[in-house]
Amino acid sequence: MTALSNLYAVIDANPTWTGKTYIKSVPETIGENKTFIIVRDSTQQLLDFASNSFQTMQFDMQVQIFYSNESDDDFDQVEMDLMRYLQSNGYFIENVRGRIQDPDTFQDYQTIILGKQERN
């Protein structure tokens, strides 16, 4: 299983406020009245070199939360709860980009960059 598939499974297994979790892309028919999460690859880094070889691979991934236009959730609390849940599952939060509005659907969304290291 890939690192991205593992992240998808961890998020999808958590019973939350979100309607659906998607991996890599979102169907065009989803609509702005649904809250959902999309997970995507970001970058990979080779770490811990020894004997001319890397020992660790760091997988950086994006988690984007798109909020329904009708949502009355406390977005700050939702995001902190999700980040704590991810940390408890071995991920580390690298960056939180700041909530902005999608220009097409007018949905607020947040992008969280997180990482997970796998040692060989």
Side-chain angles (χ1 to χ4, degrees):
M1 205 189 248
T2 67
L4 188 62
S5 296
N6 287 336
L7 173 62
Y8 169 80
V10 165
I11 292 174
D12 200 48
N14 183 24
T16 64
W17 38 264
T18 185
K20 184 85 172 136
T21 303
Y22 298 98
I23 188 169
K24 293 187 181 181
S25 65
V26 177
E28 288 187 29
T29 58
I30 191 71
E32 62 272 358
N33 292 328
K34 303 280 186 199
T35 296
F36 62 90
I37 293 177
I38 181 169
V39 295
R40 301 177 197 198
D41 284 310
S42 184
T43 60
Q44 287 101 24
Q45 299 175 48
L46 306 176
L47 304 171
D48 301 328
F49 287 85
S51 301
N52 282 338
S53 182
F54 68 93
Q55 305 302 309
T56 304
M57 173 79 86
Q58 178 172 312
F59 297 92
D60 296 332
M61 295 162 279
Q62 286 187 63
V63 174
Q64 290 184 302
I65 307 166
F66 283 79
Y67 295 101
S68 166
N69 287 338
E70 299 172 358
S71 177
D72 59 357
D73 288 326
D74 179 341
F75 297 168
D76 292 334
Q77 190 62 51
V78 164
E79 292 159 11
M80 287 187 290
D81 289 347
L82 178 62
M83 288 186 278
R84 286 185 184 110
Y85 172 74
L86 291 169
Q87 283 182 317
S88 73
N89 281 276
Y91 295 89
F92 55 93
I93 309 305
E94 293 183 5
N95 194 339
V96 180
R97 296 229 170 118
R99 205 172 303 116
I100 59 175
Q101 192 175 74
D102 182 278
D104 296 323
T105 65
F106 304 106
Q107 289 175 275
D108 285 338
Y109 73 94
Q110 177 66 271
T111 302
I112 302 166
I113 307 296
L114 52 92
K116 177 98 176 195
Q117 292 184 355
E118 299 290 332
R119 189 157 176 84
N120 190 7

